[in-house]
Amino acid sequence: MGGFILNPPDYSRFPVDAHQIRYLVANGFMKFPVIDSEAIWDKNKADTFVRTLTSVQVLWFTLQCIGRAAQHLSISTFELDMVAFVLCTFPTSYFWRHKPLDVSTTITLFLNDGVQVRDILQLAGEAANEPFKFTPLDFVNPAPDPYEPLDSVVWALQYLFGLAADPKHGHITTFKNTSRMGPKRVSVIDITVLSVITATYVTIHIIGWNFTFPTPTEQILWRVASLVLLGSPFSYGVLFLLVTSQLSIFCRLFRVPQTNTATQLFERMHTILQYLIAAGWVGTYGIARLYIIVEAFVGLRALPAGVFQGVEWSNFFPHV
């Protein structure tokens, strides 16, 4: 992925993030990079028109499903599953409205004349004595936020499937697009928005509780999977807050040195415990989610007759 690359005279090129750029500029090691908005948007692969067109299509599909429900027409499990996806598209499009897409080129930054990386590390003192994990400027970044809710989820995915495993120590040329921590502290608004979106997504499948299925077994499995989707995020949230608020107690319980976040606790546990935690969180939810997706397609083999009836929009708008 793209971003900012620092090209120091005494070290190989390495990526820098917003915290590190601010540190370098504030301490006089580098001039503030001047980049206009046109240069940023020039990297965008999806313009406003494409985003708007996608949102209109998603809105039309959602209205179709609402119209079918209002006229008591059958809705297939495939359509219901798609509604869950498209309702997540709206907040995603809103929050990413200023985010360029698929940026692959980098912007190179240079230190002021006479400044080297070793000078920066020496002036930083003890803060820079620890071995770095990604770049020599790791010491600049703030401590991880213990209440970052997605940190443990991404860790579980990486642990189970080896997705973009981070190196223990060494030089990197780019930051991977799997960051587990946001650029700022988690706020109440962040957690509220995430909770509402998650609750909306998992609750939609409960609507299909009494839908017509090809077999009674498929209906039972759908209900079970829907309850798992609903219960997994809730149970995860409760356990996450419990472990985070009583982190020192859990560290002593599992005989792990004191950590700053729940994820760091999990990373230092025994391998068997790590697997059980990761599989319990991600595996259970993943199996239920996989069944919902499979059933959405398999259920198309035997649909009720009402699915093939169109919405009579004239009932809502007589002059249409």
Side-chain angles (χ1 to χ4, degrees), residues 4-154:
F4 294 97
I5 293 289
L6 184 64
N7 189 12
D10 63 330
Y11 199 84
S12 302
R13 292 159 50 95
F14 60 86
V16 287
D17 60 23
H19 294 290
Q20 296 164 356
I21 292 176
R22 181 180 183 276
Y23 177 85
L24 295 174
V25 173
N27 289 275
F29 298 126
M30 183 183 70
K31 295 180 180 178
F32 188 84
V34 179
I35 304 172
D36 54 29
S37 58
E38 288 78 10
I40 297 177
W41 279 106
D42 185 60
K43 299 176 180 293
N44 198 4
K45 306 300 188 301
D47 57 17
T48 304
F49 174 76
V50 174
R51 296 174 190 264
T52 303
L53 181 61
T54 302
S55 298
V56 170
Q57 292 175 323
V58 167
L59 179 61
W60 173 245
F61 178 80
T62 304
L63 290 176
Q64 285 276 2
C65 292
I66 294 175
R68 298 186 66 83
Q71 295 185 0
H72 305 288
L73 299 176
S74 298
I75 300 176
S76 66
T77 53
F78 180 85
E79 291 173 312
L80 186 63
D81 197 28
M82 291 303 103
V83 169
F85 278 112
V86 299
L87 287 183
C88 293
T89 303
F90 288 116
T92 301
S93 299
Y94 174 77
F95 291 120
W96 284 11
R97 66 191 185 282
H98 296 309
K99 178 182 179 181
L101 179 66
D102 293 337
V103 179
S104 57
T105 57
T106 59
I107 298 175
T108 303
L109 304 178
F110 298 91
L111 298 174
N112 292 335
D113 294 338
V115 177
Q116 299 181 346
V117 171
R118 62 182 180 183
D119 300 327
I120 300 174
L121 299 180
Q122 289 175 355
L123 292 175
E126 295 183 359
N129 287 341
E130 293 293 329
F132 65 86
K133 185 177 182 180
F134 299 112
T135 75
L137 299 182
D138 281 354
F139 70 92
V140 174
N141 295 78
D145 186 354
Y147 288 96
E148 171 56 63
L150 296 181
D151 184 26
S152 298
V153 176
V154 178

Side-chain angles (χ1 to χ4, degrees), residues 148-161 163 180 194 233 236-237 240 263 266 278 281-282 285:
E148 171 56 63
L150 296 181
D151 184 26
S152 298
V153 176
V154 178
W155 165 80
L157 288 171
Q158 292 179 349
Y159 183 82
L160 285 178
F161 305 106
L163 300 176
R180 302 202 312 233
L194 177 63
Y236 163 76
F240 177 79
T263 304
F266 303 146
W281 282 347
V282 177
Y285 179 89

Side-chain angles (χ1 to χ4, degrees), residues 232-254:
S232 295
F234 177 77
S235 60
Y236 163 76
V238 172
L239 290 174
F240 177 79
L241 291 176
L242 177 62
V243 174
T244 301
S245 61
Q246 305 295 329
L247 191 57
S248 59
I249 296 177
F250 281 94
C251 287
R252 291 195 299 268
L253 177 64
F254 292 102

